[in-house]
Amino acid sequence: PRGSSNGETRLPLEGIRVLDFGQVIAGPFGGRFLAALGADVILVESRMNPFDLRAFPGGADGIPGPNRNAGFNILSQGKRSISLNLSTPQGREIAKRLAAISDVVTDNFSTGMMDRFGLGYEDLKAVNPGVICVSLGAFGRTGPVKQWTGLHSIINAFSGVGDVTGYAGGHRRLLGGPFFPDTLSGTYVTLAVLAALRQRERTGQGRFVDVAMTECMMTLLLEPLLAMAYGDREPQRDGNRNPHYAPHGVYRSQGEDEWVALAVRTEEEWQGLCRALERSDWARDPRYANASARKEREDELDVAITAWTRERSKHEAAAALLEAGVPAAPCLAPREVAEDPHLDVRGSIAPVDHPELGPRRSPSMPMQFDGVVVKPGGPAPLEYQYTAPILRDLLGMTYAEIEDLAHAGVLT
C-alpha cells in the first residue's frame, strides 16, 4: 500500500489501479467493491454506448440528468471515470495506453468485443506483461454458447435457480429481479481480482480470468444438487417452506403488506413457539409430536400462526418469538433498512456528499478493517469530471491535445 486513503487505516488495494469497462450493473458492482477496498478504479464510459447507465431511468428526485441516475451514482462511488468513444481508433489507443499502466482490467462486454477493440488479453499482455484481465460473460468466454448474450432474467433461467424458485403447484420464478444475478456476479469478479493479485505477488505473472454469470448463479444450487447427487429427492418449488421442518415460513402481520419470518427446527423451538402463541394444547397434542408429524399438518399450523401474527406488528411478533427461543425476524422494507439503528451505529448506511445532489445516504461496504468501516470512497464522478485530468496526469497529454480529441468526438 502507498499511503492511506482515509487517514485511519490502510486499505488492502491501495496502490492498485483498475481499468473498469463495466456495463450496467454486474461489472460496475465489482468495480465498486475494488474502489472501496482502496484501488484507483478508472471507469471507461461513453455517451455513445447504448448501455450508458447515466442515461437509464431513475433520476434523483424525479429529475433526469447524466449526474442524477441512482444506479450509476451508487455503483460508481469511489471511482474516477474517463469518457472514451471506443468506436474511434484514438479512443481505443487511449484505452490501451491506460491498460498499459494498470494492474487490472475488467469488462463484461459480449464475448469477443474486447478483442475487436484491440483490447483483448493478448493485446494488453503485449504492452503490460503483468496485467490481470478479468472478463465476465453471461455464459463465459469458452464453450459452444460463448457468443450468446444475456442479462439478469436469462442468467436466472439458464442457471437452474429459476426452476427451483416459486410456490408449490406454481410456475418457475426469477429470483431477486435484475440486481441479484448481477451483484452476485460482480462479487465473484472482486474475488477473482483478489485471487489473481495474490498469485501475481507470488509468481510475477499476470492472468486472464474468465467468469461466467450463469455459473456464479449455479453456486446457489448447492442444496438441490446435493439432494439429486444422493438420490434423495427431486428439488421442488415450495415457497418459503422447508422440506424437513415446520412451521417454516413468512407470515402476514399487522399493517399493509407487513410480514414476519419464523422457523422451527428443533423440539425446543417448537415448545418455544407454543409458549409464544400461548398454545399449550399444541405442546401436548400427539399430532404435532415431532417434525415429520408437524410437516404433515403444515397448512393448519400456518393458518393458526397467521391468525396470531395478524394481531401484532412484525416487530412485536418477532420480539415475542425470539424471547421464546424461536428464530424469527421482521421482513424489512428498503427504507427500514436504510433507517435501521443497528446499521446506523455500524456505519453501514453512510451519507455521501454528491456535488450536484448534495448529501445522500448510501450503503457502505459490508466489512471493517481494524474496526474501521470501509466507506464508499467518495461520490460517483460527474460527467467528464476526470477525463482531462486522467489524460493529463496519467498519459502526459497537453491541454491542446485534449481539446483536439474532444473536437474529434473521441471524448464522448
Side-chain angles (χ1 to χ4, degrees):
R2 294 196 285 265
S4 171
S5 64
N6 59 14
E8 296 175 290
T9 187
R10 289 180 178 174
L11 295 173
L13 294 186
E14 288 178 14
I16 296 294
R17 179 177 296 127
V18 178
L19 193 61
D20 177 9
F21 290 89
Q23 310 293 303
V24 194
I25 298 172
F29 189 82
R32 181 176 185 256
F33 259 114
L34 298 171
L37 291 172
D40 175 21
V41 178
I42 299 175
L43 172 65
V44 179
E45 56 173 334
S46 173
R47 306 292 79 77
M48 307 303 292
N49 184 349
F51 293 103
D52 176 19
L53 192 55
R54 289 186 187 271
F56 278 34
D61 306 318
I63 304 171
N67 298 318
R68 306 184 67 86
N69 180 271
F72 179 88
N73 285 334
I74 289 178
L75 295 172
S76 301
Q77 285 174 357
K79 302 179 186 179
R80 299 192 288 169
S81 73
I82 182 170
S83 295
L84 287 179
N85 184 353
L86 296 178
S87 67
T88 66
Q90 301 100 312
R92 295 192 293 272
E93 180 58 28
I94 291 170
K96 193 171 187 177
R97 290 177 63 187
L98 289 172
I101 56 173
S102 297
D103 299 279
V104 178
V105 176
T106 63
D107 86 278
N108 62 318
F109 285 120
S110 58
T111 299
M113 182 65 75
M114 289 291 279
D115 292 307
R116 292 191 289 275
F117 284 146
L119 300 171
Y121 177 61
E122 295 300 324
D123 301 302
L124 300 186
K125 187 171 68 170
V127 297
N128 183 357
V131 71
I132 294 166
C133 291
V134 179
S135 189
L136 174 66
F139 300 93
R141 304 310 189 189
T142 61
V145 299
K146 65 181 180 181
Q147 298 294 342
W148 291 11
T149 58
L151 297 176
H152 42 85
S153 300
I154 296 298
I155 306 308
N156 257 301
F158 271 87
S159 70
V161 174
D163 184 67
V164 296
T165 304
Y167 295 95
H171 60 80
R172 299 162 177 83
R173 293 174 181 260
L174 301 182
L175 176 64
F179 268 84
F180 192 79
D182 291 53
T183 53
L184 181 68
S185 300
T187 303
Y188 275 103
V189 166
T190 305
L191 175 63
V193 168
L194 296 175
L197 285 170
R198 180 61 174 158
Q199 187 178 47
R200 191 179 69 175
E201 284 183 350
R202 292 195 289 236
T203 67
Q205 297 178 344
R207 185 72 59 182
F208 177 77
V209 186
D210 173 1
V211 184
M213 292 183 72
T214 48
E215 293 166 29
C216 293
M217 282 290 284
M218 283 170 57
T219 61
L220 302 180
L221 284 175
L222 180 61
E223 184 181 5
L225 290 176
L226 282 175
M228 293 174 63
Y230 282 99
D232 180 23
R233 60 183 174 84
E234 285 289 323
Q236 301 293 319
R237 291 185 292 278
D238 204 13
N240 296 304
R241 290 181 169 181
N242 183 280
H244 307 293
Y245 307 121
H248 187 291
V250 179
Y251 301 86
R252 281 192 177 276
S253 59
Q254 203 172 65
E256 181 67 27
D257 197 24
E258 300 285 1
W259 302 79
V260 61
L262 69 88
V264 172
R265 304 159 300 170
T266 67
E267 292 308 310
E268 291 78 9
E269 291 169 358
W270 168 246
Q271 294 298 324
L273 180 70
C274 295
R275 290 194 303 273
L277 273 62
E278 298 181 344
R279 293 299 303 261
S280 57
D281 57 315
W282 285 1
R284 301 186 302 269
D285 195 326
R287 295 178 301 170
Y288 310 134
N290 52 49
S292 59
R294 293 191 290 271
K295 185 68 182 173
E296 291 179 1
R297 297 181 175 274
E298 190 166 18
D299 289 340
E300 64 187 57
L301 285 171
D302 281 352
V303 170
I305 292 170
T306 300
W308 181 84
T309 57
R310 288 299 293 260
E311 295 179 352
R312 293 157 178 81
S313 75
K314 60 187 178 184
H315 298 283
E316 292 169 341
L321 291 164
L322 288 169
E323 187 176 356
V326 181
C331 297
L332 301 182
R335 180 174 293 279
E336 292 176 294
V337 173
E339 297 172 353
D340 185 86
H342 171 75
L343 297 178
D344 189 57
V345 169
R346 284 181 54 82
S348 300
I349 306 290
V352 175
D353 194 3
H354 189 276
E356 182 172 324
L357 307 179
R360 302 276 169 153
R361 289 171 61 79
S362 178
S364 298
M365 292 293 103
M367 73 281 287
Q368 299 182 4
F369 290 93
D370 297 328
V372 177
V373 178
V374 179
K375 297 181 179 179
L382 300 176
E383 186 180 34
Y384 305 121
Q385 179 181 1
Y386 292 103
T387 296
I390 288 171
L391 294 173
R392 183 185 66 240
D393 299 339
L394 296 184
L395 300 185
M397 290 189 180
T398 65
Y399 284 108
E401 290 173 319
I402 295 171
E403 190 172 340
D404 289 343
L405 288 170
H407 286 312
V410 176
L411 308 180
T412 186

